[in-house]
């Protein structure tokens, strides 16, 4: 009788253990991951310092052991499976290149804000259910593995602020679920690949790299924001941007773009913010317009620090929602258009006022219009310094910051105007 009771108790304990225990392969994968981290970087109080494998991980999650760093869910056969691995930021370091990442049910991996180094492991592609991969703010180096393009469930891929080099893999065009791609602040080079198959992509940031070639013309119509500032791209804005019917933000500043800014970009049906500063544009194509205004959603336009010549574009004063316009440090000449003046001081009910109008560092001449002279500090951010006005003393806030150009410089410029 005693032996029968002992047997029943053993069976009961075994069943209870099986129902609550972390699946053995996930325990092994957690151990392997922790062992890959430099032990000296695992500081007291950090998540990894609490991982004590003398007890079951999923059974003891959020207790004195395994206080944080991952989540478990009962997925199959009553076993706990690791579905989320999100570390804290105490400064973990080490190379993860040999880690197998054998977590078949993992949906989110967040190792951001630490000091992990070495190449990105090919084994990340084992995470076939992964929807979010956050590796931002580490010291990963080398090229981005092609295998990352074989993660069909991936929706967010953040590799920004590392030391990655090489080109963006063409295999990224296979990430059919991808919504957000951030690779900014690396040393990525080469031409940008075709991403036209990513029908869910809405956010792209590839800024602060060494990407060359033309501005990518094969982007999906779903994209809302394109940030590719501070690269080495040439040419101009591709005609295909006209068909990006969800586009709201474009930042292509600090590149090597040249030629003329196309007219369609100013009347794009959804675009709200356009930043093309610090390029080599020499002209603007004016869209057709009537005195009643232009169909445009633009709120902010920055074309400063280019080489644009000619008169200030009248149509900018007719963009109904435009409230911030920067044309500083170009080669504009002529007088300030009346449209700019009234949009600054008295735009009317159908037009947003210029809250920021930056025209400094050009070759504008004549007199500063009277209504602008009457502006008080704080009423609007207006900058007119560094031009050829007949009178713009520094006692006026909008004439401060740099001296008016000399008469010799202004005359010399007027002689070379084609």
């Amino acid at each position: 009788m005693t032996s029968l009771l002992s047997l029943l108790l053993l069976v009961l304990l075994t069943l209870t253990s099986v129902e609550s225990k972390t699946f053995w392969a996930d325990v092994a994968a957690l151990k392997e991951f922790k062992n890959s981290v430099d032990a000296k970087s695992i500081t007291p109080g950090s998540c990894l310092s609490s991982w004590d494998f003398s007890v079951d991980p999923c059974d003891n999650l959020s207790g004195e052991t395994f206080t944080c760093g991952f989540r478990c869910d009962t997925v199959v056969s009553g076993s706990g499976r690791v579905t989320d691995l999100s570390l804290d930021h105490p400064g973990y370091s080490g190379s993860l290149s040999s880690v197998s990442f054998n977590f078949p049910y993992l949906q989110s991996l967040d190792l951001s804000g630490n000091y992990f180094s070495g190449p990105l492991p090919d084994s990340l592609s084992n995470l076939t259910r992964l929807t979010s991969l956050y590796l931002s703010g580490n010291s990963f180096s080398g090229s981005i593995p092609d295998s990352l393009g074989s993660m069909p469930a991936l929706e967010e891929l953040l590799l920004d602020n590392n030391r990655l080099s090489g080109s963006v893999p063409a295999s990224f065009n296979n990430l059919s679920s991808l919504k957000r791609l951030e690779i900014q602040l690396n040393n990525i080079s080469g031409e940008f690949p075709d991403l036209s198959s990513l029908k869910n992509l809405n956010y792209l940031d590839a800024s602060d790299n060494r990407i060359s070639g033309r501005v990518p013309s094969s982007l999906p119509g779903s994209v809302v924001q394109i940030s590719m500032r501070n690269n080495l791209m040439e040419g101009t804005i591709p005609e295909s941007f006209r068909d990006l019917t969800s586009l709201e933000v474009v930042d292509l500043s600090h590149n090597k773009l040249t030629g003329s800014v196309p007219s369609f970009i100013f009347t794009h049906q959804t675009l709200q913010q356009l930043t093309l500063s610090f390029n080599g544009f020499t002209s603007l194509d004016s869209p057709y317009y009537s005195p009643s205004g232009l169909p445009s959603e633009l709120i902010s336009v920055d074309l400063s620090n280019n080489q644009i010549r000619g008169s200030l574009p009248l149509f900018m004063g007719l963009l109904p929602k435009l409230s911030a316009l920067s044309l500083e440090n170009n080669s504009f000449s002529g007088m300030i258009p009346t449209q700019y003046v009234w949009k600054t001081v008295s735009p009317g009910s159908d037009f947003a006022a210029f809250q920021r109008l930056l025209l400094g560092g050009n070759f504008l001449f004549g007199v500063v219009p009277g209504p602008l002279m009457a502006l008080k500090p704080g009423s609007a951010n207006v900058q007119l310094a560094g031009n050829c006005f007949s009178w713009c003393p520094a006692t006026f806030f909008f004439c401060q910051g740099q001296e008016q150009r000399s008469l010799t410089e202004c005359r010399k410029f007027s002689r070379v105007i084609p």
Side-chain angles (χ1 to χ4, degrees):
M1 185 69 176
T2 303
S3 60
L4 180 59
L5 287 173
S6 299
L7 180 61
L8 288 172
L9 180 60
L10 178 62
V11 170
L12 180 61
L13 288 173
T14 302
L15 288 173
T16 303
S17 176
V18 167
E19 288 178 354
S20 61
K21 204 168 187 178
T22 311
F23 189 71
W24 66 270
D26 286 17
V27 177
L30 287 171
K31 287 181 179 179
E32 180 196 34
F33 178 81
K34 181 178 179 179
N35 290 336
S36 71
V37 178
D38 185 347
K40 294 179 181 178
S41 69
I42 302 177
T43 55
S46 64
C47 287
L48 287 183
S49 69
S50 72
W51 289 15
D52 178 2
F53 292 98
S54 65
V55 296
D56 182 75
C58 293
D59 272 357
N60 292 274
L61 193 57
S62 299
E64 292 183 4
T65 56
F66 298 100
T67 56
C68 56
F70 65 94
R71 189 185 77 235
C72 293
D73 289 300
T74 303
V75 181
V76 289
S77 304
S79 296
R81 305 305 299 260
V82 177
T83 56
D84 183 304
L85 180 56
S86 299
L87 295 186
D88 51 345
H89 316 291
Y92 299 123
S93 61
S95 173
L96 305 180
S97 58
S98 61
V99 178
S100 65
F101 286 101
N102 185 24
F103 297 104
Y105 289 93
L106 198 69
Q107 297 172 15
S108 179
L109 175 61
D110 186 354
L111 309 179
S112 61
N114 285 289
Y115 295 101
F116 291 115
S117 58
L120 295 175
D122 275 308
S123 55
L124 287 169
S125 62
N126 293 337
L127 305 173
T128 56
R129 288 182 171 86
L130 200 70
T131 60
S132 302
L133 177 57
Y134 305 140
L135 302 179
S136 310
N138 281 283
S139 297
F140 290 111
S141 58
S143 59
I144 302 173
D146 289 338
S147 57
L148 285 189
S150 59
M151 304 175 74
L154 198 62
E155 296 179 2
E156 295 185 312
L157 176 56
L158 277 59
L159 304 176
D160 56 286
N161 201 8
N162 280 284
R163 299 175 182 174
L164 300 172
S165 57
S167 59
V168 179
S171 62
F172 275 17
N173 203 29
N174 299 323
L175 297 172
S176 56
S177 301
L178 197 66
K179 297 178 180 179
R180 189 178 189 93
L181 175 60
E182 295 194 35
I183 55 174
Q184 69 270 24
L185 291 164
N186 281 288
N187 195 33
I188 295 168
S189 58
E191 296 189 12
F192 206 76
D194 177 2
L195 297 183
S196 58
S197 296
L198 307 187
K199 303 303 183 184
N200 296 299
L201 185 68
N202 53 53
Y203 186 93
L204 168 64
D205 195 340
S207 303
D208 300 294
N209 282 289
R210 296 183 59 80
I211 297 170
S212 57
R214 301 273 176 169
V215 177
S217 59
S218 51
L219 294 172
S222 57
V223 70
V224 174
Q225 179 165 335
I226 301 170
S227 297
M228 299 188 74
R229 65 183 174 275
N230 198 21
N231 279 288
L232 302 172
M233 293 184 298
E234 300 175 338
T236 188
I237 299 173
E239 187 73 18
S240 60
F241 273 32
R242 188 194 300 268
D243 302 320
L244 302 180
T245 54
S246 299
L247 189 62
E248 295 181 2
V249 177
V250 171
D251 186 351
L252 300 175
S253 59
H254 293 270
N255 276 284
K256 296 183 176 182
L257 306 181
T258 56
S260 188
V261 182
S263 61
F264 76 83
I265 202 69
F266 300 111
T267 55
H268 190 284
Q269 57 188 315
T270 57
L271 187 63
Q272 299 177 18
Q273 182 176 321
L274 177 65
T275 306
L276 301 175
S277 54
F278 291 93
N279 278 288
F281 288 111
T282 53
S283 62
L284 304 177
D285 289 341
S286 174
Y288 172 79
Y289 63 91
S290 67
S292 60
L294 277 166
S296 175
E297 296 296 311
L298 279 170
I299 297 171
S300 173
V301 172
D302 187 350
L303 295 169
S304 63
N305 295 280
N306 279 277
Q307 301 167 27
I308 305 171
R309 289 176 171 266
S311 301
L312 293 174
L314 297 180
F315 72 87
M316 291 289 190
L318 298 173
L319 300 179
K321 298 183 179 181
L322 190 66
S323 60
L325 175 62
S326 180
L327 301 176
E328 285 187 302
N329 301 322
N330 279 283
S331 295
F332 287 109
S333 57
M335 303 178 71
I336 299 176
T338 302
Q339 291 90 337
Y340 286 33
V341 177
W342 293 115
K343 191 168 170 59
T344 304
V345 299
S346 182
S349 59
D350 296 330
F351 284 81
F354 275 143
Q355 297 175 11
R356 184 166 71 246
L357 178 62
L358 308 181
L359 305 178
N362 283 286
F363 292 86
L364 304 175
F365 56 76
V367 297
V368 176
L372 294 184
M373 297 291 283
L375 287 174
K376 302 297 183 184
S379 58
N381 181 7
V382 176
Q383 179 55 261
L384 304 178
N387 279 287
C388 298
F389 294 116
S390 57
W391 191 62
C392 193
T395 51
F396 292 95
F397 73 93
F398 46 79
C399 295
Q400 298 171 1
Q402 57 180 313
E403 296 291 329
Q404 288 292 301
R405 296 186 187 275
S406 68
L407 184 59
T408 301
E409 187 179 9
C410 293
R411 284 176 173 173
K412 183 178 178 181
F413 177 80
S414 65
R415 285 197 296 266
V416 299
I417 297 176

